[in-house]
Amino acid sequence: MDKKLKVGIIGATGMVGQRFVSLLHDHPWFDVVAVAASARSAGKPYAEAVEGRWTQSIAVPERIGALTVADAADVGRVSSQVDFVFCAVDLDKEATKKLEEDYARAETPVVSNNSAHRWTPDVPMVIPEINPEHLGIIPAQRRRLGTRAGFIAVKPNCSIQSYVPALHPLLEFAPQQVVACTYQAISGAGRTFESWPEMIDNVIPFIKGEEEKSEKEPLKVWGKIKDGVIANAVGPEITSQCIRVPVSDGHLAAVFVSFATKPAKETILELWTEFEAKPQQLGLPSAPKQFLKYLEDDSRPQTKLDRDYENGMGVTIGRLREDSIYDYKFVCLSHNTLRGAAGGGVLTAELLRAEGYLTAK
């Protein structure tokens, strides 16, 4: 890319916003020129606004740390500085929907980490390796919004991004029923062990709203564009349990699946190993070279050992074996704040730029 696009981060002081900062401070295609948050942080240098609550492994990047935090509600001011924004705000659903649409109507594309627009029928919910064709709904969304350049694209819930990539190469065998039990890190709740000591030596068998997202969102991801909206896939039938576990980062899933046509185990392993998609073909900067990796060791994947595979953007899989009730069962792992949150958002933005949907104003 000849010229970097100017980027804003909305919700920049939160955990996901901080992850966006850490990923984008030296990005080859994008240049962070604006950070925005709530009115409480507005007017402060970014480094001051996150002092005492910076959660990333690197120091606050000096140049971004010097930026003055804008009020996220000042859509006109932020939009005038940027070509597009990443959004990771901590607001209720209706307030988030309005804010993101306000930016889009101001001709500022929004790449959202939030859930508010995941079920808006003309908003693409993208895992770049799985449904890049859903970006084709953007012209219909622009017509609805009355915009020339503005639109919203979202990433799915972090809980599905370990097991949906593993199932995707197997769709030709028509998965019928899927059980997915996810064991989810505390960073998925925006927390650390310092801020959530109750999670030490503890498991909580409930995450509000998570199971519905885990069961329904894959059907939109696997859906088709029809008559200006994304029509959900009719299957497979998915049931899930989502459990919070005392892990800092990384969502692990135990998956059981039955197929209309049962594939051989060797076929599954071959499809996982050879899977390549548009981000790899385009050589996008954040794309993992190998998206899916099967680990032969029965004790893998392990959250601590494997969550950073391919800089946290790949998915590791293990323990594939036949099941006594379903056809197969296996375990898979993804990094929830990289692949599942900010990293997935950055990769989506790279795909949007490569496909011509993000351009300089």
Side-chain angles (χ1 to χ4, degrees), residues 169-170 172-173 259 262-275 294 296 319-322 327-329:
L170 312 180
E172 64 184 280
F173 301 103
F259 298 92
K262 182 179 178 180
K265 179 178 179 180
E266 294 74 18
T267 301
I268 295 174
L269 294 173
E270 182 178 350
L271 287 169
W272 282 340
T273 300
E274 295 182 355
F275 182 73
Y294 186 78
E296 295 287 352
R319 299 201 69 207
L320 175 66
R321 60 231 192 265
E322 293 193 24
D327 287 333
Y328 288 101
K329 53 190 171 186

Side-chain angles (χ1 to χ4, degrees), residues 199-214:
M199 274 307 304
I200 297 172
D201 192 30
N202 194 22
V203 167
I204 299 176
F206 174 68
I207 305 173
K208 185 178 180 179
E210 202 79 354
E211 287 160 2
E212 181 181 6
K213 295 172 186 175
S214 296

Side-chain angles (χ1 to χ4, degrees), residues 179 253-259 265 268 272 294 317-332:
V179 177
V255 181
F256 303 77
V257 57
S258 290
F259 298 92
K265 179 178 179 180
I268 295 174
W272 282 340
Y294 186 78
I317 311 168
R319 299 201 69 207
L320 175 66
R321 60 231 192 265
E322 293 193 24
D323 184 63
S324 59
I325 297 175
Y326 295 84
D327 287 333
Y328 288 101
K329 53 190 171 186
F330 57 89
V331 176
C332 42

Side-chain angles (χ1 to χ4, degrees), residues 144 178 202:
R144 174 177 64 84
V178 175
N202 194 22

